[in-house]
Amino acid sequence: MWFVSRVSLLFLFAWLAFRAILVSGNDRSVYIVHMDKSLMPKAFASHHIWYSTTINSVDSLNHQSSPSLLYTYDHAFHGFSALLSADELEVLKKSSGFVSAYSDKKVTVDTTRTADFLSLSPTTGLWPASDYGSDVIIGVIDSGIWPESASFKDDGMSEVPSRWKGTCEVGQEFNASNCNLKLIGARYFNKGLRASNPNITISMNSARDTDGHGTHTSSTAGGNYVEGVSYFGYASGTARGMAPRARLAIYKVLWDEGRSAADVLAGMDQAVADGVDVISISLGFDGMPLYEDPIAIASFGAMEKGVLVSSSAGNEGPDIGSLHNGFPWILTVAAGTLDRTLGGNLILGNGLSLTGWTTFPAKAFVKDVPLLYNKTISTCDSAEQISLVSSNSIIICDNKNSSVYNMLSIVANSNAVAAVIISDEQSVLSDDFPYPGVLIRPKEGLDVLKYAETSYKPSASITFQQTSVGTKPAPAVAKFTSRGPSASNPGILKPDIMAPGTLVLAAWSPNAPSSTIKPNIQLSSDFNALSGTSMSCPHASGLAALLKGAHPEWSPAAIRSAMMTTANPLDNSQNQIQDIGTNFGIATPLAMGAGQIDPNRALNPGLVYDATAQDYINFLCSMNFTGNQIYTITRSNFNCSSPSSDLNYPSFISLYNSTLATGAITTVQYYSRTITNVGDGAATYKAKVSAPKGSVVTVSPDTLVFGKMYEKLSYSIAIAFTGDKNGTVTFGSLTWIDDNSKYSVRSPIVISPMVKAL
Ligand SMILES: *[C@@H]1O[C@H](CO)[C@@H](O)[C@H](O)[C@H]1NC(C)=O
Ligand SMILES: *[C@@H]1O[C@H](CO)[C@@H](O)[C@H](O)[C@H]1NC(C)=O
Ligand SMILES: *[C@@H]1O[C@H](CO)[C@@H](O)[C@H](O)[C@H]1NC(C)=O
Ligand SMILES: *[C@@H]1O[C@H](CO)[C@@H](O)[C@H](O)[C@H]1NC(C)=O
Ligand SMILES: *[C@@H]1O[C@H](CO)[C@@H](O)[C@H](O)[C@H]1NC(C)=O
Ligand SMILES: *[C@@H]1O[C@H](CO)[C@@H](O)[C@H](O)[C@H]1NC(C)=O
Ligand SMILES: *[C@@H]1O[C@H](CO)[C@@H](O)[C@H](O)[C@H]1NC(C)=O
Ligand SMILES: *[C@@H]1O[C@H](CO)[C@@H](O)[C@H](O)[C@H]1NC(C)=O
């Protein structure tokens, strides 16, 4: 085998020399090349070097530069992507191990990649079933909207639903003509802010978004199609919201000058009064008991009117108990990564090409520049030392004690051309990359250091604006996403679900900077890539709107249940989703709830766990609140005759007091649940339990026979936990599976230490 490969490679070199005389050069474009890894000659230490060599060998004399390797792939398939001319491709096709190549153009790289990542399709599933959400109104509570953004054009939209009662409020640089069939309403609320700051000057006194956040979230939930957009050359493609035909109604409550709980409450109330179907709220209040939290209060009223409120879990992870918006009557959304990397390539003088992360917002030219590794300077923590670096160099920064951002800002004050930052800060997902450079993982950083230390004249090139999709494993839980249990409501497992929330590309206010180049160049863009639960929440909101469009009769609890019980606990390599916040340990439900949202499955969940307003009142009545406190939430007379902490929720949490924990103490907790058959007709379901480590889970009955659609049946479940209660979180699941294996209705189970309740 070795001999054969070797021969063909030699042949290739000879053939190349000949071929180079014949071919005429033409423009290069990106190709994705499949290779047969089993044919790799043993002479090569790694597939990576093999690919690099292969690529270098197809160099034709007609080009000034060698064709460059962009990415090597070793997970989804074996091969690489490279910039090649048509004639180079022809040469490549003859090399050993070549399987196939296709032009990058055939790959749909969508700016809101998340629609593809979540398998939304125009031909089947939730998009066609809901007519893309055309009858559904999403209210967005945020910093307003930039109405001129292409994402809010109303091309292809039908008449506004007649039930709509909202308005397009006139204000500074905003009038009725800013609304249309897509952007059907816009209002603003700042009386609270003004009241607590009497002398304040509001710089943009209207629904116009001068921050960008509200424009981003609105377009993620319900933006129209916009072709040919990108973030400074990264992630280019077609942008669209999750519900591209849904209507948007905007309630501006966040101001450049501050925010007030009163305004948030007023905005949410007005949204419900105006007739929205779903509220998307990517903000929260930390450290507040239920009865003081304006979002808890306003969302209770929304739930009573049949409006689903979808909210962000917060960005205070990875410690447990850091979550906000953990109310039982609301959807709480965690953030995960996408199967997309924005980055660049570091190509060392020896031909080794490494993939790194960067979002440097320009096409910088860094080619064959001397690579500087000086241990004194390379801590990149001293502006003084860095200032001595020669202007014609790429500096290597390697300091575990310093953050990527700190190293970048120090290097920005040097004369160096660019930086190679070696760091395992896996959660670097910021769009803020103010200086030309790439981030390289420590493992690959070893190759860089070795090369820099052992070469006579080390040099390197860096390419920017590289985007790769289909990366595995994805999703992973983002480090920043806030974790349950919910301090204001520990007895209900929160968050509920995870949605994409890292470097999400969506519309932006062009007057707000979307990136910076040091020292002081601020860049503007109509689209911006941002990370946060603020970005994952509107994904869930848009998908909830689609479900509402497909099933107008479903309650908010039913919609949430459908999303949760069909969520996927596995990533795209079919392993349990990992958590970046625990250094790639297996993610627990306290981090991601039921798992990654799976919209097409949510369309037909089989069974739902429903809940009424009275069920939530019974729950509140069990919480040792005073009558006044309960009234603050319900805002109408309530009946506490049957208090019950056992809410009909599609997940289970069992809490133990870890400070009591010595030896084997057994805790047993009982729950009862009622499930409604929303499948086609008669069906028999059997329970399948995966018990958390150290626990015994008993389900009774373990078979449920539904005679018809909408029939309700109940079961009970006991979770007995014996073990070392020393702070460990353990988890498992209960899944009801029908006889035809058409539906599997999964609920996460988690056993968690208690957190200090509010
Ligand atoms: C609304 O504002 C636009 C510019 O923002 C202006 O052209 C138009 O005349 C205004 N319409 C009304 C009714 O004031
Ligand atoms: C507001 O302005 C008035 C008049 O300038 C001043 O007397 C007052 O102290 C200011 N109030 C606050 C809260 O700054
Ligand atoms: C490394 O940098 C320090 C500080 O500028 C300098 O004194 C030293 O000579 C440099 N080392 C090498 C090998 O260039
Ligand atoms: C990192 O910090 C620790 C403790 O402050 C120190 O001992 C160590 O030398 C530092 N390492 C580097 C590379 O600066
Ligand atoms: C319930 O509330 C009362 C009054 O607020 C308080 O005295 C009591 O300690 C609370 N009980 C528990 C179990 O929290
Ligand atoms: C409260 O609810 C219970 C049971 O639903 C009912 O029997 C009772 O009359 C209600 N009380 C009031 C004051 O409405
Ligand atoms: C846990 O047990 C300790 C010791 O009895 C007690 O002080 C503490 O309040 C308990 N914690 C909770 C959250 O109940
Ligand atoms: C806590 O318990 C788990 C499971 O029994 C065990 O693996 C872990 O080592 C324990 N941790 C401590 C700090 O005792």
Side-chain angles (χ1 to χ4, degrees):
M1 164 83 93
W2 180 86
F3 195 64
V4 170
S5 303
R6 177 72 175 211
V7 165
S8 64
L9 207 67
L10 285 175
F11 168 74
L12 177 70
F13 289 140
W15 191 81
L16 251 168
F18 169 65
R19 166 101 184 160
I21 303 161
L22 299 179
V23 297
S24 60
N26 52 22
D27 285 343
R28 288 193 174 117
S29 52
V30 174
Y31 288 89
I32 293 169
V33 181
H34 285 246
M35 298 289 279
D36 183 349
K37 208 180 163 188
S38 70
L39 293 181
M40 180 174 86
K42 290 212 175 64
F44 293 109
S46 74
H47 65 284
H48 192 97
I49 297 171
W50 179 39
Y51 299 152
S52 303
T53 309
T54 305
I55 275 297
N56 287 341
S57 67
V58 302
D59 193 2
S60 80
L61 293 180
N62 306 72
H63 291 288
Q64 298 288 316
S65 57
S66 305
S68 55
L69 196 59
L70 303 175
Y71 286 100
T72 61
Y73 308 105
D74 204 26
H75 298 289
F77 68 96
H78 297 299
F80 56 85
S81 55
L83 266 176
L84 296 167
S85 66
D87 48 45
E88 285 162 350
L89 180 66
E90 286 314 303
V91 177
L92 180 71
K93 283 180 180 170
K94 309 235 163 24
S95 19
S96 160
F98 177 89
V99 177
S100 65
Y102 52 94
S103 157
D104 203 16
K105 289 191 200 81
K106 287 187 192 152
V107 186
T108 9
V109 182
D110 291 304
T111 292
T112 48
R113 168 71 191 161
T114 47
D116 283 339
F117 185 37
L118 298 172
S119 303
L120 288 167
S121 154
T123 51
T124 175
L126 190 52
W127 263 356
S130 64
D131 190 23
Y132 302 84
S134 66
D135 271 340
V136 188
I137 305 165
I138 305 173
V140 183
I141 316 293
D142 211 301
S143 64
I145 195 154
W146 194 267
E148 292 84 5
S149 165
S151 290
F152 310 122
K153 287 200 170 136
D154 60 2
D155 309 19
M157 307 268 315
S158 53
E159 280 310 301
V160 175
S162 57
R163 66 182 190 284
W164 175 239
K165 297 193 281 288
T167 183
C168 199
E169 197 177 352
V170 175
Q172 190 178 351
E173 293 179 37
F174 209 108
N175 65 32
S177 62
N178 285 122
C179 289
N180 58 27
L181 302 176
K182 158 66 68 183
L183 178 57
I184 63 171
R187 299 184 189 257
Y188 58 104
F189 301 83
N190 56 27
K191 285 185 194 147
L193 179 65
R194 286 171 183 280
S196 43
N197 307 275
N199 293 352
I200 202 167
T201 306
I202 303 274
S203 59
M204 182 57 72
N205 194 25
S206 69
R208 182 170 292 275
D209 179 16
T210 46
D211 176 273
H213 192 269
T215 299
H216 202 274
T217 56
S218 303
S219 61
T220 301
N224 209 333
Y225 297 84
V226 190
E227 286 176 11
V229 304
S230 80
Y231 174 69
F232 300 107
Y234 296 91
S236 57
T238 301
R240 68 271 213 245
M242 291 292 103
R245 289 286 177 260
R247 321 297 171 144
L248 290 167
I250 304 306
Y251 300 84
K252 179 174 173 182
V253 300
L254 297 179
W255 299 86
D256 291 345
E257 294 78 20
R259 71 177 194 181
S260 148
D263 297 333
V264 174
L265 195 48
M268 289 181 76
D269 265 0
Q270 188 63 54
V272 173
D274 286 348
V276 306
D277 301 298
V278 170
I279 287 178
S280 187
I281 182 158
S282 286
L283 60 106
F285 293 85
D286 289 319
M288 286 199 186
L290 282 184
Y291 48 84
E292 283 177 13
D293 191 316
I295 300 178
I297 295 164
S299 61
F300 190 93
M303 173 274 298
E304 284 182 306
K305 293 271 171 14
V307 176
L308 178 111
V309 178
S310 161
S311 70
S312 52
N315 303 331
E316 305 298 324
D319 290 342
I320 70 166
S322 52
L323 171 142
H324 61 211
N325 291 332
F327 328 123
W329 44 86
I330 185 174
L331 180 73
T332 314
V333 187
T337 60
L338 278 60
D339 65 339
R340 177 176 70 193
T341 314
L342 309 186
N345 279 63
L346 173 68
I347 304 122
L348 301 177
N350 64 2
L352 184 63
S353 170
L354 299 169
T355 302
W357 283 297
T358 181
T359 51
F360 180 69
K363 202 180 188 80
F365 187 75
V366 181
K367 185 144 179 65
D368 297 330
V369 179
L371 186 62
L372 174 75
Y373 179 55
N374 174 325
K375 281 182 179 143
T376 313
I377 293 175
S378 289
T379 51
C380 292
D381 54 4
S382 157
E384 200 182 335
Q385 280 172 352
I386 285 272
S387 67
L388 303 172
V389 169
S390 141
S391 61
N392 186 32
S393 60
I394 299 174
I395 182 164
I396 297 175
C397 293
D398 183 20
N399 183 350
K400 290 184 182 58
N401 288 359
S402 185
S403 74
V404 170
Y405 193 79
N406 282 343
M407 288 191 258
L408 274 177
S409 51
I410 297 276
V411 186
N413 294 314
S414 75
N415 293 317
V417 172
V420 173
I421 313 259
I422 298 172
S423 169
D424 61 357
E425 237 175 84
Q426 304 271 12
S427 58
V428 173
L429 297 161
S430 166
D431 63 328
D432 203 0
F433 213 103
Y435 185 79
V438 284
L439 189 65
I440 299 287
R441 290 183 188 88
K443 197 166 139 243
E444 287 156 337
L446 292 177
D447 290 339
V448 180
L449 296 181
K450 188 171 164 209
Y451 167 71
E453 283 183 312
T454 58
S455 301
Y456 168 54
K457 277 188 174 170
S459 69
S461 305
I462 301 174
T463 58
F464 297 89
Q465 298 174 322
Q466 309 289 329
T467 303
S468 68
V469 299
T471 50
K472 293 187 176 190
V477 174
K479 184 177 183 180
F480 59 75
T481 196
S482 291
R483 315 298 159 109
S486 163
S488 68
N489 170 50
I492 302 292
L493 171 55
K494 289 282 178 173
D496 296 309
I497 200 145
M498 182 167 82
T502 57
L503 288 174
V504 170
L505 213 133
W508 192 247
S509 301
N511 75 319
S514 51
S515 192
T516 306
I517 296 180
K518 291 263 176 179
N520 56 12
I521 303 169
Q522 292 202 318
L523 301 174
S524 161
S525 171
D526 291 338
F527 281 79
N528 199 358
L530 297 182
S531 300
T533 53
S534 285
M535 284 69 236
S536 61
C537 162
H539 280 95
S541 314
L543 296 173
L546 297 176
L547 288 170
K548 182 77 185 174
H551 299 287
E553 73 286 3
W554 280 6
S555 71
I559 293 173
R560 177 178 57 197
S561 174
M563 291 170 132
M564 289 173 66
T565 61
T566 58
N568 195 345
L570 304 181
D571 61 29
N572 60 3
S573 50
Q574 304 309 316
N575 295 310
Q576 293 188 73
I577 291 174
Q578 299 174 346
D579 184 349
I580 298 175
T582 59
N583 200 18
F584 295 91
I586 293 171
T588 81
L590 294 179
M592 64 169 186
Q596 172 84 338
I597 197 163
D598 189 345
N600 294 325
R601 284 200 62 218
L603 177 61
N604 292 305
L607 304 172
V608 294
Y609 292 79
D610 209 349
T612 63
Q614 186 59 48
D615 293 332
Y616 293 114
I617 292 172
N618 293 344
F619 179 81
L620 284 172
C621 294
S622 76
M623 284 189 82
N624 197 33
F625 290 161
T626 66
N628 258 341
Q629 289 166 343
I630 296 175
Y631 186 80
T632 312
I633 298 166
T634 63
R635 287 186 287 166
S636 60
N637 287 331
F638 57 92
N639 182 341
C640 258
S641 64
S642 3
S644 167
S645 60
D646 195 11
L647 187 63
N648 196 38
Y649 214 78
S651 60
F652 302 93
I653 184 168
S654 174
L655 298 161
Y656 67 87
N657 183 340
S658 56
T659 59
L660 283 177
T662 46
I665 301 170
T666 301
T667 314
V668 189
Q669 215 158 319
Y670 300 92
Y671 312 78
S672 66
R673 292 290 187 267
T674 299
I675 28 188
T676 309
N677 178 19
V678 294
D680 292 336
T684 300
Y685 282 82
K686 290 204 172 63
K688 183 177 154 232
V689 169
S690 161
K693 201 163 166 261
S695 75
V696 176
V697 175
T698 316
V699 180
S700 169
D702 64 0
T703 302
L704 293 173
V705 183
F706 293 91
K708 56 181 195 297
M709 197 178 181
Y710 297 129
E711 187 177 344
K712 289 175 189 288
L713 291 175
S714 298
Y715 67 90
S716 62
I717 172 169
I719 301 173
F721 174 64
T722 308
D724 243 353
K725 300 178 181 181
N726 60 1
T728 314
V729 176
T730 55
F731 54 94
S733 60
L734 162 63
T735 309
W736 290 96
I737 301 170
D738 78 310
D739 271 356
N740 302 320
S741 295
K742 187 175 174 196
Y743 303 111
S744 80
V745 187
R746 183 179 172 278
S747 292
I749 301 172
V750 69
I751 298 171
S752 163
M754 284 175 188
V755 291
K756 196 172 154 28
L758 289 164

